[in-house]
Each structure stands twice: as structure tokens, then as C-alpha cells.
Amino acid sequence: MRRNCKVMGYGMAALLLAGCGAAPDTADAPASADSAQKHTPVAADAPVVAGARQEDGAIHDRDGKPVAVLPFDIASVPSSQAMLGAMPFFGLPQGYAPQNRPHPRAWARFPFRIGDGIHWAEGPSWSARIVAEGDKTFSALELQRNLENLIDAAGGRKVFEGPLRRDIYYGPQLEDEIGGGFIDAVNMEQDAPTTVYVVRQAQRTIWVQLAMDGNGAGLAVLEEVPFQPSARWNDAFPHLSLPAGYRDRNKPQQRDFDRFPFWTGDRFEQVEGRTWAADFDKGEREYSMHEVRRNLEAMMAGVNATKVFEGRIPKEQAETVPEALRSAYSQAAGYSWDDFDLVIYRADLPDGRQVWVHARLEYLSAGWVVTERTGFVQTATLLPAAALKQKLDSNGRVAIQVNFATDKADILPTSEPQLAQVLELLRADPALRLAVEGHTDNTGDAAHNRTLSEARAHAVVAALAGKGIDAGRLQAAGFGADKPVADNADEGGRARNRRVELVKR
């Protein structure tokens, strides 16, 4: 075997096999309890049995053609006891290196090419595009021969040799997660020569895919081991925690009471209660959509939650969500709701609480909205006519409690007691003239907010005029978010900014 190899030392420890500068072995991960069930027996180099599929859902390529998702007989690969170091396990020949910084992921899944389709494997992964350094000219044969020698020495076997079929990785189900996430490993010619290798050890399986074009190669390495969640369910709201290494992209938004629409597959379930909205990532090179998905699954399984929906909302239905609501939750839930993978859960807790989760899964970031279903609790207090007069006399203005339908100027019936007190104030002083001013928080489009606030001010004027007050005594104006009375950074401040004020003229 050739000894022309070097350590891959770019941000992630990599050790060569014995004979190429091997280092002491690292501890193996525990064996997978369901390993035997996961790999349906089929010879690695045999034709695929018609109808044989893994239970991973339908996959289509970029042209809409179905892609077979195939089982793999791990027993067809002899077990190896070779000492391997850390990910990515195998070194590169002299003069070869990643073109860009590699993508090391704590947990991901990758569809390795086998037979006439793909085979899903998941676990810690590493991927990069490999090129020749300096004045050296790239040789696909030199790179592949070195890698094959190392894998052969490790007891591995070649399980596939054929075209990459690049369009598989850019189909509608895989483009964000694989075509984007593993872009350096799959972004080459459609029929780029591709080879897949497997190293089977007692408590792990190592998958390697090498695809080559004239100027470089895409390399994906994955260590298939049992999943260990790093996120934990909390009994206290908002219940969900982030996987290890992930961080908030923006400050999470908590609303004491709101309504959020959860897609159930054929309609939106309107859930009212306190809400939590967060968006997060792990950095472009380490973020993994599948790591977020698996941690969320583990948290929801811990409370026996029901998966209500998984997939994408049809565009026609997604566009029925009011623009103001999409704007309000755009950081966590995205803005175009048909343009990302979505998972919806409902958890019915033993103490009677019901929790809904809307999880957005995208290429570089994820987000979720959590709503704990509760009834509305009135916190606003009615200002009687005497109190209104006192505020107007002392401050020249007073905020009143008027409630409107979401993103509309329709006054809700709960506002009648407050409007009755405004009527009493105006009737008691026929000379009193008022400006009715509408205000919003800074969530959503500024122009839309000004239009909405003005429409609401006109609605209040119309309601008072309809009760016999001379409309000439009232003047409506809308200012949107231009005149805040509190900081819009938190829900408490935004709630104070959403108001109708009476101003003495």
C-alpha cells in the first residue's frame, strides 16, 4: 500500500490509519439497539430488489422523477477491528486539501449512493471539496487510489461505483438539507464518477462517498452511531431548549396572549395562549437541519406528543395567513410559509395543558413558535368618564381600552363599556372637542401600520358618531409606530404602544 498520505488538520482532528502515522484509538460509541432492524439484508453489490425501500418517505430528483430509497445489508461488509482516529478518519495524499473550510457536523444525515438510488445514514459527519494545492495538478486516480488503500487497510469495502446523479441532491426534498448543507460534496457534474465505501466495526459504521470531476472531488464522511439528544424538554414554558452548540439569532419574543395558526395538513388550527418565538443557528459550517429535527423529535417523544404535520404548506393556503401575522413572527416562522420544511406537534400534558409547536427547518437556520393554549385573561381596566376627564385636564391626552379584530379595524364587543364612558364624557361637556389617534407597535410593514391605525381611529369616531355625537367634534388620525410610549423590544412595551388615545383639541 502506498504511504503517500498526510494528516487532515483543518479545524477538526484527523488521524491516519496504522502505517500512515496512526494515533491511539478513540472510544467507540455504544452500539445501536435497532441496528439489526435498520439494515434489511440485501447484498451490497446485488441488484436492488423491486419494491425494497427504507421507511423515509418519497424522494424525487430535480425533474420530479422518483428516487429509490434503499436498504443496505451491513452484514455483507466484514467486521473490522482496525484502529481509527477521529473524524474524518482518512488522510489525503500529499498536495491535496479542502478548497474551503470543511463542514464538521455533530449530527446530520446523508443519502449515500447505492444501487439505483440512495441509502440514508445519520450521525456525526464531515464534508468538503478536495482540490490540488499550489502548482500540483489534480488527479482523480491518485486521490481515489490513496483513499481506497486506506479504506481497504481499515477493513472497508466498496459498495457502489457509478454516476453521482447530482439532480438527486437538488430535488425538492433534499435541496436545502443536502444540496445546500453538503454542497461541497455534491455540487459537480450530473454524472460525476462516484464511489461509496463502508467500514463496519462492532459499534459503528463509517460511510465514505467520493465524487470526482476534472478539477476536484466532493468528499462526505459519516459515522453511523446511535443518536444522543442534547436538547431537553422543560416543564416550564416555553418547554423547548436548543441543541448543544446552537444559539439565538435574535432575541426570542414572548407574548403573554396571542393567536397563532398551526397547519394540520388540511386547515389552520387557531391556537390562543401565550407564545414563544425563537430563531437559531450553529454557524454556516456546523448547522444541521437534521440535528435540529432529531432533537425536536426526542423532546416531543418525551411527552408523548403527536406529530400533526410534516412537510410544506401548499402555497395557496400559506398565502391566506395575514401579512401582519407573518411579519410579527417572521424571525421564527419565516415569511413565505410555503418555502421551507415544517413540522407541527401537539403535546397534551398530564396536568391538562396543551402545547403546540410550529418548527421551521431551513438550510442555514431554524426556528419555532411554541403556544401554550390558555383562555384570555383581561388585564386592561375600564377608565370611567371621570378618570378620562381628569387625564385630559392634566395631560391633554388619555389612552382608552379599545379592542380590535386581528389586523382589522373592526371594534370588538368587549370595547363597548369603554366607549360608553367616552360617550358620557362627551355628553357631559358639549364644548369638548377631541382628536382620536390610533397607534401600533413596530411589528410589520410601517406603511401598513399607519393605514391600519388610521382606519381604527376612524372606526372609533364612527362608533361615537353613531351614538349621537357630532362628528365635527372628533378628528381621526393614525400614526402607526411613529409615536411609541414604550420600548418595542419586548411584548410588554409593544402592548403599551398598541393603543387608541383621546387628545384634547
Side-chain angles (χ1 to χ4, degrees):
M1 184 178 74
R2 295 179 66 178
R3 300 295 190 247
N4 182 24
C5 45
K6 68 176 183 179
V7 173
M8 301 164 93
Y10 17 77
M12 198 174 197
L15 288 304
L16 300 183
L17 294 172
C20 275
D25 191 21
T26 56
D28 285 342
S32 173
D34 61 356
S35 178
Q37 290 77 16
K38 184 171 184 178
H39 302 289
T40 305
V42 55
D45 56 354
V48 175
V49 178
R53 297 291 185 271
Q54 279 185 219
E55 297 179 0
D56 284 279
I59 300 295
H60 295 83
D61 67 14
R62 189 188 301 209
D63 295 328
K65 299 174 183 176
V67 178
V69 181
L70 306 172
F72 179 75
D73 180 15
I74 190 62
S76 66
V77 178
S79 182
S80 165
Q81 296 182 350
M83 295 180 64
L84 297 176
M87 179 78 74
F89 307 114
F90 308 107
L92 294 177
Q94 292 177 0
Y96 291 83
Q99 184 174 24
N100 302 304
R101 188 161 57 88
H103 293 260
R105 293 181 173 87
W107 196 267
R109 65 174 181 171
F110 186 79
F112 289 89
R113 287 282 284 115
I114 64 170
D116 65 352
I118 59 172
H119 174 80
W120 280 115
E122 63 175 302
S125 71
W126 185 99
S127 60
R129 177 171 173 81
I130 308 301
V131 296
E133 295 181 293
D135 295 332
K136 185 177 179 65
T137 301
F138 178 81
S139 167
L141 180 61
E142 180 182 18
L143 176 61
Q144 183 170 9
R145 190 68 58 81
N146 272 275
L147 184 62
E148 283 183 343
N149 285 344
L150 292 176
I151 292 174
D152 183 67
R157 292 293 182 269
K158 182 189 298 182
V159 299
F160 174 81
E161 189 166 28
L164 175 65
R165 291 180 59 190
R166 176 184 184 271
D167 286 353
I168 289 174
Y169 299 101
Y170 289 85
Q173 295 87 12
L174 300 184
E175 182 174 8
D176 281 356
E177 182 177 354
I178 307 302
F182 284 83
I183 189 168
D184 287 343
V186 301
N187 189 24
M188 51 194 63
E189 297 173 359
Q190 165 73 354
D191 295 325
T194 300
T195 312
V196 177
Y197 308 88
V198 172
V199 179
R200 174 193 175 199
Q201 296 198 324
Q203 300 183 44
R204 63 181 176 179
T205 299
I206 295 167
W207 289 79
V208 179
Q209 178 164 306
L210 179 69
M212 293 173 289
D213 57 29
N215 300 309
L219 180 62
V221 182
L222 186 144
E223 182 182 14
E224 193 171 20
V225 293
F227 177 68
Q228 298 293 330
S230 59
R232 296 288 183 269
W233 173 273
N234 299 307
D235 185 60
F237 186 79
H239 306 296
L240 303 184
S241 62
L242 299 185
Y246 285 76
R247 67 260 182 163
D248 291 317
R249 301 176 71 212
N250 296 283
K251 182 180 179 181
Q253 298 174 323
Q254 180 169 338
R255 294 171 171 86
D256 293 333
F257 188 82
D258 205 356
R259 179 191 296 119
F260 190 84
F262 292 86
W263 180 249
T264 64
D266 59 358
R267 64 184 181 86
F268 285 105
E269 174 82 8
Q270 302 290 340
V271 181
E272 294 186 350
R274 55 177 169 171
T275 67
W276 175 272
D279 65 320
F280 50 91
D281 62 19
K282 198 181 184 181
E284 180 179 356
R285 296 280 161 177
E286 298 182 25
Y287 171 82
S288 166
M289 184 189 300
H290 193 55
E291 184 178 16
V292 175
R293 180 191 293 116
R294 292 285 269 133
N295 274 278
L296 179 62
E297 287 175 351
M299 286 190 285
M300 302 314 293
V303 289
N304 298 314
T306 299
K307 184 185 289 184
V308 176
F309 175 79
E310 184 171 16
R312 295 197 174 192
I313 303 177
K315 184 178 180 65
E316 183 179 355
Q317 281 72 31
E319 290 179 346
T320 66
V321 178
E323 182 181 358
L325 188 143
R326 281 183 283 139
S327 294
Y329 287 90
S330 61
Q331 291 178 355
Y335 191 80
S336 299
W337 284 21
D338 61 303
D339 202 27
F340 55 83
D341 290 345
L342 174 67
V343 187
I344 303 292
Y345 285 96
R346 188 194 73 239
D348 298 300
L349 305 183
D351 60 6
R353 289 178 295 169
Q354 187 181 86
V355 177
W356 287 72
V357 176
H358 168 115
R360 169 183 61 85
L361 304 177
E362 291 195 78
Y363 161 42
L364 288 179
S365 68
W368 46 49
V369 178
V370 181
T371 300
E372 187 173 275
R373 187 167 234 155
T374 57
F376 177 69
V377 177
Q378 178 78 25
T379 58
T381 57
L382 176 69
L383 286 178
L388 295 175
K389 184 177 185 308
Q390 183 179 5
K391 286 274 189 178
L392 285 169
D393 289 343
S394 60
N395 300 331
R397 64 175 59 235
V398 61
I400 57 174
Q401 301 298 331
V402 183
N403 302 316
F404 298 91
T406 302
D407 201 36
K408 296 181 180 179
D410 300 336
I411 299 175
L412 298 179
T414 53
S415 304
E416 289 301 324
Q418 181 68 92
L419 292 178
Q421 295 302 309
V422 178
L423 283 168
E424 183 178 331
L425 170 71
L426 289 164
R427 287 167 179 162
D429 184 359
L432 181 62
R433 299 167 66 84
L434 297 174
V436 180
E437 297 183 352
H439 302 269
T440 70
D441 61 27
N442 68 344
T443 303
D445 179 73
H448 173 78
N449 285 339
R450 291 190 194 97
T451 301
L452 178 63
S453 63
E454 184 172 354
R456 287 177 169 178
H458 279 290
V460 172
V461 169
L464 296 173
K467 297 291 186 179
I469 300 299
D470 180 3
R473 298 172 61 190
L474 305 171
Q475 178 181 311
F479 297 94
D482 295 344
K483 296 185 176 183
V485 293
D487 191 343
N488 277 301
D490 57 56
E491 178 55 25
R494 288 190 292 272
R496 290 182 60 197
N497 290 332
R498 298 189 294 269
R499 69 198 189 279
V500 172
E501 286 187 332
L502 303 179
V503 180
K504 216 172 187 181
R505 293 168 59 196

